[in-house]
Amino acid sequence: MLTDIQRYARNTQMADIQPFIIDIPATDITELQNRLSETRWPDPETPDDWSQGVPLQYAQEFCRYWGEEYDWYARQEQLNRFDHFTTVIDDLPIHFIHAKSAEPGAMPLIITHGWPGSVVEFHKVIEPLTNPVAHGGDAKDAFHVVCPSLPGFGFSGKPTKPGTSVGQIAAMWDELMIRLSYDAYFAQGGDWGSAVTTEIGLQNLGHCKGIHLNMPSARPTKEARENPTDRDKLAMARGRAYNDEDSGYSKQQSTRPQTLGYGLADSPSGQGMWILEKFWRWTDCDGHPENVLTRDELIDNIMLYWLNNTGASSGRLYWQSFGAFGGDDKIEVPTGCSIFPKEIVPTPRSWAEQRFGNILYWNELDKGGHFAAFEQPNLFVSELRKSFGPMR
């Protein structure tokens, strides 16, 4: 007897879309646990804070829990409650979650993650977006949600030659939505997802009816440089702090991702701390990532990198496309922006208006950070409902 997923794949007349179930062999988990138990630790940091990176004591406790108490198969079951699929686009297998709404007026929506994120970021928002009536919304707020894994991330294929830029990914995502029989859709993203979604709007191939960004990227205005407001000063100070204190990871990944990849592929503790530090730095967590996300949630996201050995392949997106942020080309599709206070650079509206020529929704929130859907799922869902409502 066909499962619902198999029946769906057969009935959509898309033989090139295949059902996918996350099913990690027990040997992979045993190997991970053995590697964690045999970690060779560095000496401790010299200051009593996170300024040199993840503190040794926390790293050791985190990895002990990961190896001894974390239950991957319970978490895998949770992730598999969504329908997963794969399809090949531009010779690359692309993994995606496709959650359809039962509401007849639901609008298709493609949501794109970034680095060091994954589709795990969206596990708390998919059901409210597809079934709004059960989660404090109205039937008119419903979406059919598509969450793809970026090439080189998660369960998607890894590019084997240069060229998989954000521009190519944007075109791939348009192709994906057409394959799903969505000839009109919305797009949303933060981090690299913001760059891809911005590019979808810039390409404007006729199918995307509006975009929403929780990390719009734009350069300072002439007025901001010459006579900055307090809001301008905040954004510029955050930009300086990023460049001075926080951008080493991006310099490494945008220049020598392969060299970095050897350590990340060989050491789960190394891969884990490479990611975990950014959840400390970029979340609205009052100094500790577990103040806003559970330890299991943090590990879930790391697992999609470790299990798929994507330390190098995910970093290559920086090598390929790091200049994609903050371009000058004008985007004219309807645009909504939600600015969460702990975003890396909380872009002012005046900056964004230089690049986004049709901003229909703008809101600056009082809590939340870079991983908005993960950290503040209720606010994130509310922002999408309010942003896309006038665009439907």
Side-chain angles (χ1 to χ4, degrees):
M1 179 176 292
L2 293 175
T3 66
D4 288 343
I5 296 177
Q6 290 169 329
R7 188 176 297 108
Y8 168 79
R10 174 174 290 185
N11 291 343
T12 53
Q13 300 178 351
M14 291 173 286
D16 51 353
I17 292 180
Q18 299 298 325
F20 176 84
I21 295 175
I22 303 172
D23 185 16
I24 301 302
T27 52
D28 288 7
I29 304 305
T30 300
E31 182 201 16
L32 166 64
Q33 293 168 336
N34 290 339
R35 285 176 178 266
L36 287 167
S37 69
E38 296 172 2
T39 299
R40 182 187 183 192
W41 297 103
D43 54 295
E45 64 284 355
T46 52
D48 187 22
D49 56 30
W50 287 65
S51 60
Q52 291 184 346
V54 183
L56 177 62
Q57 183 176 352
Y58 177 55
Q60 289 176 324
E61 169 54 26
F62 187 93
C63 289
R64 184 208 62 77
Y65 177 88
W66 187 5
E68 298 177 10
E69 297 184 42
Y70 174 78
D71 184 351
W72 163 251
Y73 289 105
R75 309 303 290 181
Q76 176 177 273
E77 183 177 353
Q78 283 294 302
L79 291 173
N80 276 330
R81 75 186 189 275
F82 303 117
D83 290 344
H84 297 248
F85 301 88
T86 60
T87 191
V88 176
I89 305 176
D90 293 349
D91 297 323
L92 272 176
I94 298 298
H95 159 262
F96 60 98
I97 293 170
H98 186 196
K100 298 198 72 175
S101 174
E103 297 294 343
M107 185 69 179
L109 169 66
I110 186 166
I111 305 179
T112 309
H113 67 86
W115 184 93
S118 68
V119 295
V120 167
E121 290 181 65
F122 308 124
H123 81 101
K124 291 180 282 192
V125 303
I126 291 174
E127 286 149 335
L129 289 170
T130 56
N131 187 7
V133 174
H135 296 86
D138 297 324
K140 64 180 176 57
D141 298 321
F143 298 92
H144 302 302
V145 177
V146 179
C147 298
S149 296
L150 287 165
F153 290 70
F155 297 101
S156 282
K158 302 172 184 178
T160 58
K161 58 185 178 181
T164 308
S165 64
V166 294
Q168 180 179 351
I169 296 169
M172 293 167 75
W173 279 192
D174 191 74
E175 169 64 21
L176 173 61
M177 297 303 275
I178 296 305
R179 286 191 191 182
L180 294 171
S181 299
Y182 296 141
D183 58 0
Y185 63 86
F186 295 135
Q188 197 284 329
D191 195 86
W192 280 110
S194 174
V196 171
T197 301
T198 298
E199 187 68 26
I200 290 173
L202 182 62
Q203 292 177 4
N204 199 10
L205 298 177
H207 307 117
C208 181
K209 303 306 178 184
I211 64 174
H212 177 272
L213 309 170
N214 56 282
M215 195 187 84
S217 185
R219 306 183 198 280
T221 62
K222 182 175 183 291
E223 293 79 7
R225 294 191 299 269
E226 295 176 353
N227 187 27
T229 65
D230 289 344
R231 187 68 179 79
D232 294 327
K233 291 176 183 177
L234 172 64
M236 289 188 283
R238 292 279 192 85
R240 286 192 297 270
Y242 173 81
N243 288 329
D244 294 346
E245 306 166 11
D246 195 34
S247 60
Y249 79 97
S250 63
K251 180 63 72 173
Q252 181 66 32
Q253 295 190 148
S254 61
T255 57
R256 300 292 187 271
Q258 187 67 22
T259 302
L260 172 66
Y262 295 110
L264 300 184
D266 191 56
S267 170
S269 61
Q271 175 70 87
M273 297 312 106
W274 186 248
I275 290 173
L276 185 59
E277 179 208 295
K278 296 309 172 194
F279 278 84
W280 160 74
R281 179 72 175 190
W282 295 345
T283 57
D284 188 3
C285 67
D286 196 25
H288 199 290
E290 292 185 29
N291 287 337
V292 67
L293 296 168
T294 69
R295 188 173 293 183
D296 279 356
E297 287 176 329
L298 292 164
I299 297 174
D300 291 344
N301 181 65
I302 293 168
M303 287 291 277
L304 264 63
Y305 286 81
W306 175 258
L307 294 171
N308 297 293
N309 193 13
T310 59
S313 58
S314 62
R316 289 190 194 109
L317 185 53
Y318 285 76
W319 183 89
Q320 183 68 55
S321 285
F322 196 62
F325 292 99
D328 296 317
D329 295 328
K330 199 85 166 181
I331 293 90
E332 298 294 351
V333 300
T335 301
C337 299
S338 300
I339 310 302
F340 290 81
K342 296 299 182 179
E343 184 54 82
I344 300 170
V345 176
T347 301
R349 179 166 185 162
S350 59
W351 300 14
E353 286 174 341
Q354 297 178 115
R355 190 159 195 220
F356 300 94
N358 191 12
I359 296 177
L360 300 185
Y361 179 81
W362 184 275
N363 191 26
E364 299 186 13
L365 295 99
D366 59 6
K367 60 181 176 180
H370 185 69
F371 305 95
F374 214 6
E375 299 176 54
Q376 296 293 337
N378 293 336
L379 287 178
F380 180 85
V381 169
S382 176
E383 287 298 288
L384 266 58
R385 290 172 179 171
K386 289 186 286 187
S387 177
F388 287 126
M391 304 180 197
R392 286 180 179 263

